[in-house]
Amino acid sequence: ALLVWFPGPHSFTGEDCAELHVHGGPAVVNGVLQALGRVPGLRPAEPGEFTLRAFRRGKLDLTAVEGLRDLIGAHTEAQRRQALRQMEGDLGRLYQRWSHALTQALAHLEAFIDFGEDEEVEEEVLGQGEELLPSLGLLSQIWGSGHKASPLAVTVRALERDIRAHLRDGRRGELLRGGVRAVIAGPPNVGKSSLLNLLCQRPAAIVSPQAGTTRDVLEVALDIGGYPLVLSDTAGLRRATDPVEREGVARARARLSQADLVLAVLDVTSVSPTGVALGAALAALEPPPGVPCVLVLNKADLLGGRGGAPSVAGPQGPPATLLSCKTGQGLQELLELLAQQLAQLCGDPLSGSPSLTHSRHSRHLGACAAALARVGRGDTGDTGDIGDLALAAEQLRVARRELGRITGHVGAEEVLDIIFRDFCVGK
């Protein structure tokens, strides 16, 4: 066996750690674990305990912990890249930068409120404002003058804009982490189940010439160009008389309303290849408004080689492609088209600002932005001044606390440390 020693604080958890590398199969590993279990003071680790120890010792924040968990569960290359970037701290550093700006603003503001009557302290505070907090400028302007915006108010508004822009990322990170939910929709007997089988390269769905074979929603997970796709095959959309088929159509409609991407399948031999006719056939499926759609014109083998994929409703219509689920003709073009759509929905995980990956991030960031929006906004809606200093300080505390809940860093000690470090109060 091989024993590897990791002395703290440079280990993963920050503690002294040792790893045993043993040879053989599961029986050897179980024998070693049983032997270790008989040593006094040793016990098996709880699920996630090593990561929890790393978090408690400051080796990881909560966003990095979530990134590590996502990395372990990653199924596609894009998921791996996004999780690795988050685990390495890109997202945490962005939130820490915002939190630091809020902490600085709050510390200076509270110092001015608490010690502003002391001339020596006030002089020191006002004299060091630009040096300590360049983004805010001199605290002497915190009161504002006429219609001139105070530097603190300008900074708060800028931070609010940055957070709201971060929230408006189209759920790219969440889609990449959980998989883009795509729904195959269309009339009965156009080849929806055949398309599912073709994409996953196995007979996952029952295929029959009889219309209305699919009654329930069938779901498979795919890797398309490195992006995760959760593909759902649904019942044919029509007015059904059979009670079971009616339930299948209702489930298809419900899944369609939740789709991130729609694969609308039509029989190319039963619809006119004009943009108007194809647009009407697509509209009859009632795809959710604003959801991207790919038009798949199936049964191309019956065309005898005639024509290509027409555009729907001109250049503004959704992309369309010809396909034959029977022969595989057009499969590569469809895969490339799907990869392009997924890349637009999920973005490049390695470029630009890191994306939101969890709904809890969105919830806390929304509360943070709402608190910043309340700073200095009275009945008149004026945003030029900071308003009541005590109320502004409270809203900054709320905003900072919400950011801290994302990373797991919540506390008042940082504010106190900055007050005493920067202003030497009580010196």
Side-chain angles (χ1 to χ4, degrees):
L2 177 67
L3 175 65
V4 183
W5 176 247
F6 297 95
H10 303 295
S11 66
F12 174 75
T13 64
E15 307 164 305
D16 291 339
C17 295
E19 283 186 3
L20 280 171
H21 296 249
V22 297
H23 306 288
V28 176
V29 175
N30 290 334
V32 172
L33 291 176
Q34 291 175 8
L36 291 174
R38 291 191 289 269
V39 177
L42 293 187
R43 63 169 177 81
E46 299 293 336
E49 184 171 348
F50 282 96
T51 305
L52 178 60
R53 287 170 177 251
F55 168 72
R56 286 178 172 170
R57 288 181 170 263
K59 304 287 287 187
L60 301 171
D61 67 11
L62 285 184
T63 61
V65 169
E66 291 167 330
L68 175 59
R69 185 181 61 190
D70 293 345
L71 180 63
I72 294 172
H75 293 286
T76 71
E77 178 63 16
Q79 285 178 321
R80 183 192 69 82
R81 291 177 179 177
Q82 175 173 273
L84 186 61
R85 184 180 183 185
Q86 182 170 333
M87 191 194 74
E88 291 176 342
D90 277 18
L91 195 61
R93 281 190 290 271
L94 174 64
Y95 296 158
Q96 283 296 325
R97 186 163 66 248
W98 289 343
S99 181
H100 177 71
L102 284 173
T103 301
Q104 290 280 72
L106 180 58
H108 288 68
L109 184 55
E110 289 189 339
F112 191 84
I113 294 172
D114 293 341
F115 307 106
E117 295 180 358
D118 188 324
E119 291 184 1
E120 295 182 2
V121 173
E122 182 176 355
E123 182 179 353
E124 185 177 5
V125 170
L126 299 181
Q128 295 184 23
E130 290 183 347
E131 176 185 352
L132 296 174
L133 205 57
S135 61
L136 300 187
L138 289 173
L139 285 176
S140 59
Q141 299 182 46
I142 205 171
W143 302 95
S145 57
H147 296 288
K148 184 179 180 180
S150 69
L152 182 57
V154 171
T155 300
V156 168
R157 297 292 159 254
L159 183 56
E160 180 191 351
R161 285 194 299 270
D162 288 347
I163 293 176
R164 293 196 184 279
H166 184 58
L167 285 168
R168 292 191 301 269
D169 70 343
R171 297 177 54 242
R172 291 182 306 164
E174 292 184 53
L175 290 176
L176 180 54
R177 175 177 172 267
V180 175
R181 307 192 70 84
V183 173
I184 302 176
N189 211 23
V190 294
K192 298 185 298 300
S193 297
S194 298
L195 174 59
L196 178 77
N197 292 342
L198 182 64
L199 289 174
C200 67
Q201 295 294 298
R202 61 185 177 87
I206 297 175
V207 176
S208 170
Q210 180 181 351
T213 303
T214 303
R215 301 296 182 92
D216 207 346
V217 177
L218 180 62
E219 192 174 86
V220 295
L222 301 175
D223 180 347
I224 304 294
Y227 292 93
L229 183 71
V230 182
L231 190 60
S232 298
D233 180 27
T234 60
L237 301 176
R238 67 175 177 180
R239 289 187 177 181
T241 57
D242 180 75
V244 179
E245 187 179 358
R246 276 204 308 267
E247 177 61 24
V249 172
R251 295 187 181 190
R253 291 288 184 193
R255 186 60 61 93
L256 189 61
S257 66
Q258 303 168 358
D260 303 312
L261 177 67
V262 175
L263 272 66
V265 184
L266 298 175
D267 184 346
V268 71
T269 65
S270 62
V271 62
S272 173
T274 64
V276 175
L278 290 173
L282 179 61
L285 301 179
E286 300 179 4
V291 174
C293 182
V294 173
L295 184 58
V296 181
L297 303 174
N298 190 30
K299 304 185 181 182
D301 54 292
L302 300 180
L303 292 177
R306 302 192 312 271
S311 61
V312 180
Q316 301 301 321
T321 183
L322 282 172
L323 178 70
S324 172
C325 290
K326 182 178 181 179
T327 66
Q329 172 192 345
L331 175 60
Q332 188 58 40
E333 290 79 2
L334 174 60
L335 291 175
E336 292 175 358
L337 189 55
L338 286 177
Q340 294 172 7
Q341 294 293 318
L342 294 174
Q344 292 178 11
L345 286 169
C346 300
D348 185 351
L350 296 183
S351 66
S353 177
S355 300
L356 290 160
T357 57
H358 292 72
S359 59
R360 76 175 192 91
H361 299 176
S362 302
R363 184 172 65 255
H364 291 307
L365 285 172
C368 175
L372 293 176
R374 291 191 292 268
V375 175
R377 282 197 172 132
D379 296 335
T380 62
D382 180 27
T383 61
D385 197 7
I386 207 64
D388 184 279
L389 299 187
L391 294 178
E394 176 59 26
Q395 295 305 323
L396 291 180
R397 277 191 290 270
V398 171
R400 180 179 173 276
R401 185 164 60 246
E402 293 296 336
L403 277 179
R405 285 173 175 166
I406 301 177
T407 60
H409 299 148
V410 180
E413 294 303 318
E414 293 180 42
V415 177
L416 296 176
D417 289 344
I418 291 178
I419 289 177
F420 284 90
R421 182 195 68 202
D422 288 351
F423 306 128
C424 304
V425 175
K427 186 175 181 179

